[in-house]
Amino acid sequence: MYVNAGYADWELIVQTAFHFALSVLAIACPCALGLATPTAVMVATGVGAKLGLLIKGAEPLENAHKVKTVIFDKTGTITRGSATVAKLSLLTGSANTLAIVRWCSAALGGQSGLTCVSFVAAPGCGLRARLRPQGGGQPTNLVNFNNLPRSGTSFVVEGVPVEVVPPGRDAALSSAQAAARLHSLIPTDSPASGEEVEQVVLIGNREWMSRNGVTVPRRVQEAMQQDEELGRTAVLAAINDQLVCTIGVADEVKPEAHLAVYCLKKMGLQVCLLTGDNRKTAVAIARQVGINKVYAEVLPSHKVAKIQKLQEEGQKVAMVGDGVNDSPALAQADVGIAIASGTDVAVEAADLVLMRNDLLDVVACLELSRTTVRRVRLNFLFASVYNLLGIPLASGAFAMFGLQLQPWMASAAMAMSSVSVVCSSLLLKTFKKPTLEQLRTSEYLQSIHLEELDSVSVHRGLDERIDPSERGASPLAK
């Protein structure tokens, strides 16, 4: 192109070399490569915020697509977290049952007139309170209640079914000494003027009762197992080291939990339930939502150890929780997902926050991550194609065929590569969170009626051995 310009040969060589060098310098600028990841992450973060998915930076968004195991907490995550008393079992034997009912009904009505002198609570176990009564309350109306109910009868207090547990052959429930102690704990008559007797109240699980020296009889264990097999949390109550009742606390499973677990499994992920609750209650909840691997009776510190062990096996773990006891596990997991309605500590420790209390957003988080990573890879492809084709062309490799780029053309091509990468990233704005109707496919509806869970493997604490009593297959709860 400089042949007829009157230049010497060495001048032509220098000018041609400078021309090609300038074109290569312009088109080889790595702007597109540098924009490939940050633009996609920025758009994806904004899209997630609009969908109610708060993403704290690029790292959790990029790590989420590598997740192979998703671990759910139970209370407040799989379940609604609003516990209600579903059943009350009185452990009075031949004691004055009416005295117990009067005390319970007065407490339910907010008329117990008790003053708390001291209070101690152990997370995951129970509480111990020292109470000082200051006058009895009036009992509320009872339904199906006899003045002298016998063992095995039932009635209703404030809408809560109450059952009198028969003692059977259990001497701990039928002895006259137990009856006398209970009668002295909760007298039927009003206390004498000025009389105040402090009472120690224990409320908690079996381990808490054992720590405080309270023996749980066999018949009481059976009553608790009946509640746990229905997915309830069985809580024991004792006054002055004497068992009074068991309380069956029910926590309703979220309606979308089963569908969320189904979608995660369909994505090829392993789903586990990690809870500090009793193993029978945990298994009952797991069967309702379709989870076939359960870690029950796990302490908060053990949750962290369990996640560490999975990570040592090479698995990328996502933890979904909402409580204070979940925060160490959320921080340890590769991707910690917290529910915004949970505690502030959990939200702070998590990498992703679900602004809506909807487990289907967990599926949306993972889908958004996978879509973003695919878009980043496509951006790198665009940028690489520009360089692979543009640099040889700008360097004059095809000049003998009459194909060469002017420096301004190389600059325009470089700018176009950046524009193409940005436009490709902006296409992430078209991402839509799958709706409930889209996820409830005919395949899913058919699986509800036909699928049976594989044997549910239950592990207690950090023990990797499977509880043989829970290995049998069970039909998937509707």
Side-chain angles (χ1 to χ4, degrees):
M1 77 189 139
Y2 299 107
V3 174
N4 299 321
Y7 296 108
D9 292 342
W10 68 271
E11 292 177 319
L12 292 175
I13 294 173
V14 171
Q15 290 177 358
T16 303
F18 180 77
H19 168 86
F20 289 137
L22 189 61
S23 298
V24 171
L25 181 63
I27 203 170
C29 182
C31 293
L33 291 173
L35 292 172
T37 298
T39 54
V41 170
M42 179 182 65
V43 175
T45 302
V47 170
K50 289 183 179 179
L51 298 176
L53 313 174
L54 181 59
I55 304 171
K56 300 180 181 179
E59 185 176 357
L61 184 63
E62 296 175 12
N63 286 339
H65 85 283
K66 303 176 184 177
V67 169
K68 297 301 180 184
T69 302
V70 180
I71 298 178
F72 284 96
D73 177 49
K74 184 181 77 68
T75 305
T77 305
I78 291 292
T79 62
R80 293 186 180 275
S82 55
T84 57
V85 177
K87 184 182 177 182
L88 186 69
S89 300
L90 294 177
L91 312 176
T92 59
S94 59
N96 194 329
T97 305
L98 180 58
I100 306 297
V101 173
R102 282 180 176 173
W103 187 86
C104 293
S105 61
L108 288 170
Q111 304 171 358
S112 60
L114 299 173
T115 301
C116 183
V117 180
S118 64
F119 181 86
V120 177
C125 289
L127 59 88
R128 178 187 179 95
R130 188 179 296 275
L131 304 178
R132 179 177 298 165
Q134 296 181 349
Q138 297 297 325
T140 57
N141 294 330
L142 305 180
V143 182
N144 298 331
F145 174 67
N146 299 321
N147 289 332
L148 295 174
R150 298 180 299 273
S151 296
T153 61
S154 61
F155 47 93
V156 177
V157 179
E158 294 288 340
V160 178
V162 180
E163 179 185 2
V164 181
V165 177
R169 297 181 180 180
D170 203 325
L173 293 180
S174 58
S175 67
Q177 294 180 354
R181 284 198 299 268
L182 285 173
H183 182 72
S184 63
L185 291 175
I186 309 176
T188 56
D189 302 325
S190 299
S193 176
E195 181 183 357
E196 292 185 0
V197 179
E198 289 187 356
Q199 300 172 354
V200 177
V201 177
L202 296 172
I203 300 177
N205 56 18
R206 298 174 180 85
E207 182 182 354
W208 182 246
M209 293 298 165
S210 177
R211 287 186 187 180
N212 289 273
V214 179
T215 303
V216 181
R218 178 188 56 81
R219 187 65 186 87
V220 178
Q221 296 277 9
E222 295 175 357
M224 296 177 69
Q225 289 178 4
Q226 292 176 2
D227 282 330
E228 291 166 350
E229 289 172 356
L230 296 175
R232 302 169 183 164
T233 300
V235 180
L236 290 163
I239 303 177
N240 292 352
D241 298 335
Q242 176 62 48
L243 287 175
V244 175
C245 64
T246 66
I247 306 171
V249 180
D251 195 358
E252 184 182 357
V253 174
K254 293 179 181 178
E256 76 279 3
H258 183 274
L259 179 58
V261 172
Y262 172 83
C263 293
L264 292 173
K265 286 184 174 181
K266 194 174 180 180
M267 294 169 66
L269 305 177
Q270 182 182 15
V271 184
C272 305
L273 183 65
L274 188 65
T275 177
D277 213 334
N278 179 271
R279 68 182 184 278
K280 290 187 178 294
T281 302
V283 169
I285 296 297
R287 284 174 174 164
Q288 291 183 46
V289 299
I291 297 177
N292 53 11
K293 191 168 187 179
V294 177
Y295 296 95
E297 302 177 16
V298 182
L299 299 176
S301 59
H302 291 173
K303 291 184 178 182
V304 176
K306 175 53 62 180
I307 291 178
Q308 288 176 338
K309 188 167 186 177
L310 291 174
Q311 291 172 332
E312 291 172 358
E313 296 174 357
Q315 299 187 40
K316 294 292 183 179
V317 181
M319 173 70 189
V320 186
D322 71 321
V324 174
N325 59 337
D326 298 324
S327 55
L330 290 171
Q332 175 63 37
D334 297 284
V335 180
I337 304 176
I339 299 175
S341 59
T343 61
D344 294 339
V345 177
V347 172
E348 183 66 25
D351 302 307
L352 301 171
V353 181
L354 309 182
M355 303 307 295
R356 301 183 181 90
N357 194 5
D358 187 352
L359 291 181
L360 292 178
D361 284 350
V362 177
V363 180
C365 279
L366 300 180
E367 285 288 355
L368 178 60
S369 174
R370 293 184 177 187
T371 303
T372 302
V373 171
R374 285 197 299 267
R375 183 58 56 180
V376 168
R377 291 171 179 170
L378 187 61
N379 290 346
F380 276 115
L381 178 62
F382 284 151
S384 300
V385 167
Y386 271 101
N387 287 339
L388 289 175
L389 296 180
I391 291 178
L393 191 61
S395 63
F398 303 102
M400 65 182 67
F401 303 107
L403 298 176
Q404 59 183 7
L405 290 180
Q406 297 294 333
W408 70 267
M409 294 180 182
S411 300
M414 182 272 295
M416 285 301 299
S417 67
S418 299
V419 171
S420 65
V421 167
V422 172
C423 292
S424 173
S425 298
L426 289 174
L427 288 177
L428 284 172
K429 285 183 172 291
T430 61
F431 176 83
K432 300 295 182 183
K433 183 173 66 174
T435 62
L436 182 64
E437 292 73 18
Q438 292 173 338
L439 295 176
R440 290 179 63 89
T441 60
S442 57
E443 180 182 356
Y444 167 71
L445 297 175
Q446 186 178 8
S447 70
I448 295 179
H449 300 285
L450 299 180
E451 181 183 355
E452 288 190 356
L453 274 180
D454 297 333
S455 58
V456 178
S457 61
V458 186
H459 309 265
R460 299 183 63 182
L462 293 179
D463 191 356
E464 287 297 327
R465 292 175 300 176
I466 298 175
D467 189 341
S469 63
E470 303 292 348
R471 297 186 65 173
S474 172
L476 190 63
K478 307 296 188 287

